[in-house]
Amino acid sequence: MKKSNLLMNLSVSLGIVLLMLSACMQAAPTQQVSSDLTDGYVWHQMGFPESDAEKNDFNKDIFEITPFNIKVVLPDGWFTGEFDSQTESYLYNGVWSRIAIYDKEGNCVGAVGYNIFESDEENEGELMAVYNQIALGNDYQFDVKGSYTVVKKSDTGETATVDVYYSPVLYYSSDSESAPKINFGILSYNTDKSVYVAFEFDSSVTDETIANIANSIEFID
């Protein structure tokens, strides 16, 4: 009788332990916090083109590439979503398949999109040739000539931070009609894939956050 009770107690205890282990496994996060960057950031993967909704006869070459992915860290609690061009003003022009980036309060604080470029030895290292779609505008541009700062390089490209300029024609400031708007930008290109990604963030995002995001960007298959 005592032996039977002992076996029953052991069976119940084992069942409780298994239930606890199962609960822990189910509670594990689907995204891992980076171990080699600042704590408080989470890896995200983004695929481009995200859709071909913007595809037409004039830009079909941009959408008919081999799809590619990047991975990047964002602050814990930030998330991505569908870009609504009617309500969100980031990435005014020059890139496609835009993805909106939200902070943990649900505010849209930035966006990322992509474009293609011709990769050849003649233009290798020529930033204006790579980023011509977003660097040559008068009223809106990624200021590649004046503020381009490389944060990391590889055999297939480089990543840099850059100012994003809006002229008063596109942005009205209540303080001054002639005051331009400057946002944060991050650019990263890959010569193997002949593509680049462009991030634009609101000027309220901290320098530290921009630096961590920029240093984390990787092109993956």
Side-chain angles (χ1 to χ4, degrees), residues 22-188:
S22 176
C24 290
M25 292 175 65
Q26 292 175 9
T30 57
Q31 296 172 316
Q32 292 185 339
V33 176
S34 168
S35 59
D36 57 348
L37 291 166
T38 303
D39 290 341
Y41 288 77
V42 175
W43 284 105
H44 293 257
Q45 183 170 313
M46 304 173 186
F48 298 95
E50 187 188 33
S51 76
D52 62 357
E54 299 171 292
K55 181 180 177 180
N56 57 48
D57 290 340
F58 301 101
N59 64 16
K60 61 183 180 180
D61 289 346
I62 297 171
F63 289 90
E64 292 175 354
I65 63 170
T66 301
F68 69 96
N69 295 281
I70 63 169
K71 68 176 186 177
V72 59
V73 298
L74 297 175
D76 194 7
W78 286 27
F79 59 97
T80 61
E82 185 176 353
F83 187 89
D84 184 353
S85 59
Q86 300 300 313
T87 60
E88 292 150 10
S89 59
Y90 303 105
L91 299 176
Y92 181 76
N93 60 30
V95 295
W96 303 92
S97 195
R98 291 167 290 179
I99 299 171
I101 300 173
Y102 299 89
D103 65 16
K104 60 183 179 181
E105 282 80 33
N107 303 307
C108 186
V109 293
V112 55
Y114 86 100
N115 211 324
I116 62 175
F117 65 94
E118 293 186 10
S119 180
D120 55 50
E121 292 183 2
E122 182 178 347
N123 291 330
E124 188 172 351
E126 293 293 331
L127 296 176
M128 298 305 289
V130 173
Y131 297 120
N132 65 87
Q133 301 97 336
I134 58 175
L136 297 177
N138 291 323
D139 293 322
Y140 173 84
Q141 66 169 262
F142 279 67
D143 185 18
V144 169
K145 287 185 176 180
S147 62
Y148 189 85
T149 304
V150 176
V151 297
K152 69 175 185 177
K153 301 186 72 167
S154 71
D155 292 338
T156 57
E158 66 186 27
T159 300
T161 58
V162 63
D163 289 340
V164 183
Y165 171 82
Y166 287 78
S167 80
V169 172
L170 298 177
Y171 175 73
Y172 173 77
S173 169
S174 59
D175 298 328
S176 171
E177 292 186 12
S178 61
K181 175 182 177 181
I182 306 294
N183 275 346
F184 289 117
I186 302 173
L187 297 173
S188 187

